[in-house]
Amino acid sequence: LKSAGSRLRPSFVAVPILPVDAVQGRFLLIMGTIMDENRIFCAEQINVPPELPDILKDFTKAVIRENPAAGEADTSVARMKLFQWSRDYFKKKLAESKS
């Protein structure tokens, strides 16, 4: 029988994968977390702030109203425009909440 201490695993595991720059020998590392301690077993363990539905509703309305990717034929460029617009939207909302 193994003791409980011998089954403990580190929180992060670094695994080298394909070289990003083979000339300089750099490797991209994947950091994986062991989620055993933080497993969710029921919905009651998930805490959703009460203001989140209103935040998402306002965001959705603003995206529809502004249409930040309008007229963009390339889906990757349209997606990037939406991501950038979303970032700016939430930065603005944060600044408004602090003032």
Side-chain angles (χ1 to χ4, degrees):
L1 291 176
K2 292 184 178 181
S3 69
S6 66
R7 290 188 307 243
L8 294 178
R9 290 178 255 158
S11 296
F12 292 95
V13 179
V15 180
I17 59 171
L18 298 174
V20 174
D21 183 348
V23 175
Q24 295 182 8
R26 295 184 193 152
F27 288 92
L28 180 63
L29 296 179
I30 297 176
M31 299 299 289
T33 59
I34 307 301
M35 300 294 291
D36 292 340
E37 304 132 16
N38 299 323
R39 292 185 75 175
I40 295 175
F41 296 100
C42 62
E44 288 77 19
Q45 288 179 282
I46 302 170
N47 295 320
V48 177
E51 61 274 4
L52 183 61
D54 290 332
I55 291 169
L56 293 176
K57 183 178 175 182
D58 293 341
F59 170 72
T60 303
K61 287 180 177 181
V63 168
I64 293 169
R65 190 174 31 254
E66 297 288 325
N67 196 5
E72 188 58 58
D74 185 355
T75 57
S76 2
V77 173
R79 190 177 299 128
M80 186 56 67
K81 284 184 176 183
L82 177 61
F83 293 156
Q84 291 168 342
W85 183 88
S86 300
R87 176 200 59 210
D88 296 340
Y89 174 85
F90 284 110
K91 280 184 175 181
K92 180 182 169 192
K93 289 295 183 183
L94 180 63
E96 288 173 2
S97 72
K98 289 184 175 181
S99 59

